[in-house]
Amino acid sequence: MLIYEKSRQGRGSSLLPACDVPDHPLPEKDLRAEAPGLPQVSEVDLSRHYTELAHKAHGVNDGFYPLGSCTMKYNPRINEKTAALPGFTGVHPLQPESTVQGCLQVLKETGEALSAITGMEAFTFQPAAGAHGEFTGLLLIMAYHQANGQTQRTKIIVPDSAHGTNPASAVMAGMSVINVDSDESGCVDVAKLRELCESEEGQEIAGLMLTNPNTAGLFDPNILEITRIIHDCGGQVYYDGANLNAVMGIARPADMGFDCVHLNLHKTFSTPHGGGGPGAGPVGCRAHLAPFLPGKTVEEKDGVLTLAKPAQSLGEMKDFYGNFLVAVKALTYIKTLGAEGILSASQNAVLNANYMMAKLRDLYDIAFDTKVCMHEFVMDLSRLLKETGVSAMDIAKGLLDHGIHPPTMYFPLTVHEALMVEPTETESRETLDWAIGVLRDLHQLAHTDPEALHQAPVTTPVRRLDEVGAARHPVLRYTREEA
Ligand SMILES: *Cc1c(COP(=O)(O)O)cnc(C)c1O
């Protein structure tokens, strides 16, 4: 039931003190013709309404949530506690710098921590999400080429396994996208890449965007050669670091040869995402790109922190300092774990993914089956579909009936019936064993009673949704019945 349907004339839940300043009525022309029709409900009904909605959703605190690529990890409560400190919530972005030294210190320390993790030299916190970070990083690369008189460099290479936001961000940044196919092992086809970069087109290459480990959960063993090929032809290399869960504290993008990276604080650094945002997609770069960074960056002068605009700044990507409180949460996470904890988070993420993969690979085909995966692995259900008629979608829906959020489905696009599983580091062995058991049971059910899986889910607040219908004919507006 919608909150509008619960509304009753005259009910309310606001207790405003009497106005203690003079009235300033709006001019007639600015007044609306009729009241806005806001829902009128009592406080208890309002509270129950949102609690009821919360119970209908599946969140990271409700159960296992193995969403590959999009890392849904536990959001420690202490992050929220620090982000709620009045010294952080009560500030205004236009306050004099001398009164917000603590906030500037947060940005400085978060930047330093992320630099230590990635090997980059400078960070901007303006981008509000991963895709926004990609857009920012690509504009940085374009600004760099333009400053060097290389205006013909407008083409960006994106592998076919890339996250969909990569080519979209490139097009928004005014680049044209060249796709390179993966080789049989699921990694970048180095021979094809070299051929492209050594051809005449090499002079038009602005750079390459890469996720490593890639979306199949594989660390590209040729990474040093790949970044060298791009640099040799005059390009820059962009690291999609949305999900750094396998390599934090182990391998740094800068050491792999990358010039620029974005990180999703709302994935790797444990701040909430998926309706629970806002997120943040800070962008880090090597020193040669730093003069082009957007917004202002924190500098220290005689022990005092101040904000300065980089010399050839590309402008503003967002107002002020981006989603500042997300940086507070991420810094809290980094500081609670410390360097050792960051390292073991990555190790446990990789261990958990490998444990699940090893316990499932006799039943489910693993895409690009290698001995070990990184923080996630991809199951290919094509054979199951052929043998039983049960698709990756059916298995995903079946998981919902067991209180498990489905893994990422039908991604990467290079795998047909893909289920992409990322257990994350905080899950216990018991939880993993239980989830493995459910996946094994569903595999058996696919053979004994496939129809049951076509019908799933049956225990959720809503049954199977018409997803195509919802995308093609979305109903985005509630029309009130006139009394
Ligand atoms: C999630 C993700 C993105 C996009 O991040 P948003 O914050 O959703 O914009 C980009 N690349 C990869 C690999 C991702 O997993």
Side-chain angles (χ1 to χ4, degrees):
M1 203 180 191
L2 297 174
I3 188 84
Y4 288 95
E5 293 161 335
K6 293 181 180 167
S7 175
R8 291 294 175 273
Q9 187 69 31
R11 272 184 209 157
S13 42
S14 57
L15 289 171
L16 294 180
C19 187
D20 61 356
V21 289
D23 260 7
H24 283 281
L26 287 173
E28 193 70 26
K29 69 174 176 43
D30 291 335
L31 293 179
R32 52 193 312 154
E34 45 183 302
L38 297 175
Q40 304 183 39
V41 284
S42 68
E43 183 171 321
V44 64
D45 289 335
L46 185 67
S47 170
R48 282 180 189 156
H49 178 72
Y50 285 109
T51 306
E52 187 188 311
L53 289 180
H55 286 160
K56 283 186 175 158
H58 184 96
V60 94
N61 291 317
D62 296 304
F64 192 44
Y65 208 130
L67 199 64
S69 181
C70 283
T71 316
M72 288 297 276
K73 55 161 88 179
Y74 175 63
N75 313 132
R77 290 299 173 271
I78 189 172
N79 296 357
E80 301 300 324
K81 212 169 165 179
T82 37
L85 289 173
F88 293 137
T89 56
V91 290
H92 191 281
L94 292 176
Q95 252 174 261
E97 285 169 6
S98 64
T99 65
V100 290
Q101 289 289 300
C103 294
L104 298 185
Q105 182 79 21
V106 166
L107 290 176
K108 178 169 174 280
E109 285 190 28
T110 314
E112 286 167 355
L114 299 181
S115 293
I117 291 169
T118 57
M120 295 293 152
E121 267 110 4
F123 264 90
T124 172
F125 287 90
Q126 275 201 340
H132 199 200
E134 292 166 20
F135 182 47
T136 306
L138 294 173
L139 290 181
L140 269 184
I141 291 175
M142 289 288 262
Y144 172 77
H145 287 316
Q146 276 158 12
N148 291 330
Q150 298 274 302
T151 47
Q152 83 287 0
R153 292 196 181 272
T154 55
K155 296 186 176 170
I156 187 102
I157 306 171
V158 182
D160 56 359
S161 63
H163 195 268
T165 49
N166 289 190
S169 302
V171 169
M172 277 191 68
M175 296 168 151
S176 56
V177 176
I178 308 178
N179 242 301
V180 286
D181 294 339
S182 308
D183 63 13
E184 273 152 39
S185 67
C187 293
V188 173
D189 189 327
V190 177
K192 276 200 190 138
L193 184 71
R194 183 177 293 114
E195 193 184 321
L196 174 67
C197 292
E198 287 177 357
S199 73
E200 259 176 48
E201 218 173 354
Q203 291 310 304
E204 296 168 20
I205 302 290
L208 164 77
M209 289 182 94
L210 205 65
T211 309
N212 190 36
N214 66 19
T215 52
L218 307 173
F219 189 95
D220 203 312
N222 302 315
I223 190 61
L224 291 175
E225 197 178 349
I226 291 166
T227 54
R228 194 178 326 116
I229 291 172
I230 298 297
H231 286 147
D232 282 350
C233 90
Q236 294 282 295
V237 207
Y238 183 89
Y239 185 86
D240 177 342
N243 191 327
L244 212 66
N245 238 16
V247 294
M248 276 191 305
I250 298 172
R252 305 188 310 169
D255 299 330
M256 300 177 209
F258 288 92
D259 302 288
C260 179
V261 1
H262 85 263
L263 304 173
N264 278 26
L265 300 188
H266 49 291
K267 290 182 185 168
T268 312
F269 295 95
S270 86
T271 77
H273 75 118
V283 168
C285 62
R286 304 298 307 271
H288 64 280
L289 294 175
F292 307 99
L293 282 173
K296 291 179 175 172
T297 42
V298 182
E299 288 178 4
E300 187 163 356
K301 276 191 198 127
D302 309 325
V304 178
L305 298 177
T306 146
L307 288 161
K309 207 163 183 57
Q312 292 156 278
S313 175
L314 58 83
E316 303 293 321
M317 295 304 295
K318 196 181 185 310
D319 41 351
F320 304 105
Y321 328 112
N323 290 329
F324 169 69
L325 293 175
V326 182
V328 175
K329 294 179 203 182
L331 183 61
T332 309
Y333 176 72
I334 292 169
K335 279 187 174 292
T336 24
L337 289 186
E340 255 173 57
I342 290 279
L343 171 66
S344 57
S346 291
Q347 290 169 333
N348 287 328
V350 173
L351 178 63
N352 281 359
N354 278 285
Y355 181 74
M356 278 195 79
M357 182 171 81
K359 296 261 177 182
L360 289 168
R361 65 157 37 118
D362 60 321
L363 287 187
Y364 289 93
D365 295 334
I366 307 296
F368 314 110
D369 199 358
T370 51
K371 282 205 180 64
V372 290
C373 62
M374 292 289 122
H375 57 292
E376 60 196 2
F377 62 97
V378 180
M379 304 195 294
D380 181 349
L381 278 63
S382 310
R383 192 163 54 95
L384 186 71
L385 177 63
K386 215 159 122 202
E387 287 171 8
T388 66
V390 167
S391 64
M393 168 81 92
D394 294 328
I395 295 287
K397 298 294 183 192
L399 286 169
L400 284 169
D401 279 332
H402 294 268
I404 296 179
H405 191 282
T408 297
M409 302 185 295
Y410 298 100
F411 182 78
L413 301 176
T414 43
V415 178
H416 289 298
E417 288 290 320
L419 284 183
M420 184 185 201
V421 182
E422 179 181 354
T424 81
E425 71 283 0
T426 42
E427 300 300 343
S428 68
R429 179 161 174 188
E430 290 73 23
T431 301
L432 299 181
D433 283 335
W434 164 72
I436 290 162
V438 171
L439 276 161
R440 295 187 72 89
D441 289 349
L442 293 180
H443 191 275
Q444 190 171 8
L445 189 62
H447 289 87
T448 54
D449 186 5
E451 190 47 33
L453 282 167
H454 298 319
Q455 296 298 325
V458 294
T459 60
T460 47
V462 284
R463 299 283 301 270
R464 194 174 290 213
L465 297 170
D466 176 0
E467 283 157 7
V468 175
R472 296 283 182 277
H473 309 286
V475 181
L476 302 175
R477 195 154 173 246
Y478 171 68
T479 325
R480 222 167 355 121
E481 272 176 45
E482 296 303 330

